[in-house]
Amino acid sequence: MSSIYIHIPFCKQACHYCDFHFSTSLQRKEEMIKALAKELVLRKKELNEEVETIYFGGGTPSLLSTVELQYLIDTVYENYTVIDNPEITLEANPDDLTNEKIKELAVSPVNRLSIGIQSFFEEDLKIMNRSHNSEQAKKCLEEATRHFDNITVDLIYGIPNMSNERWKENLQTVFDFGINHISSYALTVEPKTALASFIRNGKYPDVSEELALEHFNILVAATEKRGFINYEVSNFGKPNFFSKHNTSYWLGKSYLGFGPSAHSFNGKQRSWNVSNNIKYCKALRENIIPNETETLSQSDVFNETMMIGLRTIWGVDLEQVENKFGVNFKEKLMENADKFIQKELLELTKDQKLKTTKKGRFLADGIASDLFLVN
């Protein structure tokens, strides 16, 4: 089974913390949709497996009309073998999800919404330069939950000046709407963003890892109490509501990414498209796929196995490590992991899975990087 990711590189405005590829001009939207369809056609021979998930990410995919979304979905079906009842996710901003738009989506093939709320407080939304307000966030959830049961909400924690009580209130608002999945990330400062500039010039306080950890612990406790499973560091779902698309990434399955800046992976090679809308569209007009490819070394694949495995409840399977990489890799891994096991940040289960403990979960990325092997 494989997955398809379609990057929609447009936003109404730039969030101050975001370093993803997008344009705030919609002038080339029609041209971009045609280019995406062309890429889907040109690359159909790259995938020999059935497609089980289709994910519209961005950018802001909810800027597309349901007609435009249907056109791209139809192009997938015409060129790839898709399973019955695939998971089809649309990332959306609350201000795009009018009652009319939600009703249109409800009768489309889209069956999962990923709604970028981030916070229900105006102060937070303004500093992040989000395009919606708190009222729109609540209104869209009120309508969306009438038509979709498979909804995930994005929240950001570790925002300077956000008290623990405010963070708890954000979570409670999501719980009150009966949402079955939450994706939640600590606010991070990417080098070339407006947020980085504000902090550098003293216009906004720097982020605090201590505050982020406090908020993360509150998040873990509150979701666990309500029956959510923290199946990946940043993802919390009730049973049967895990993201199938993102889970396929974490389990190392192959996927194809379409659109500017999108990445693809086939188990041995990784490729990425040019991060430029004009260059992307021009190349596709000329029937050229505008991407670069690298073949991953054994160490690269091992390191990625560590990174994604330790972020999930499934951990790293030592038997698979030995079968895939050899006994030397397994022995070196356990040698390096021992200090984290002693500190109770990692644990080795009876079925030979190396996993982060609840204490070590927040530190998963740092632990994984310490277990990397160099070429």
Side-chain angles (χ1 to χ4, degrees), residues 27-44:
Q27 288 183 349
R28 295 180 179 273
K29 182 160 75 87
E30 184 178 346
E31 181 183 8
M32 178 61 65
I33 291 168
K34 290 179 180 177
L36 286 165
K38 175 71 76 68
E39 189 187 1
L40 282 162
V41 173
L42 291 178
R43 298 181 65 191
K44 61 183 178 181

Side-chain angles (χ1 to χ4, degrees), residues 19-33:
D19 70 342
F20 290 169
H21 171 71
F22 64 91
S23 169
T24 53
S25 170
L26 300 181
Q27 288 183 349
R28 295 180 179 273
K29 182 160 75 87
E30 184 178 346
E31 181 183 8
M32 178 61 65
I33 291 168

Side-chain angles (χ1 to χ4, degrees), residues 184 216 230-236 310-312 361-362 364:
S184 192
F216 179 76
N230 184 196
Y231 68 103
E232 192 271 346
V233 172
S234 301
N235 286 271
F236 304 76
L310 291 181
R311 288 183 63 91
T312 71
R361 196 175 303 157
F362 184 73

Side-chain angles (χ1 to χ4, degrees), residues 13 43 71 85 107 126 181 238 286 290 308 337 347-348 357:
Q13 61 194 52
R43 298 181 65 191
Y71 171 64
N85 303 314
V107 294
K126 286 177 180 177
H181 191 284
K238 290 187 177 179
E286 298 169 357
I308 60 178
E347 62 178 346
L348 182 60
T357 62

Side-chain angles (χ1 to χ4, degrees), residues 304-321:
E304 186 151 317
T305 300
M306 293 302 106
M307 180 59 74
I308 60 178
L310 291 181
R311 288 183 63 91
T312 71
I313 58 172
W314 303 288
V316 175
D317 188 320
L318 294 185
E319 184 179 346
Q320 289 183 9
V321 168

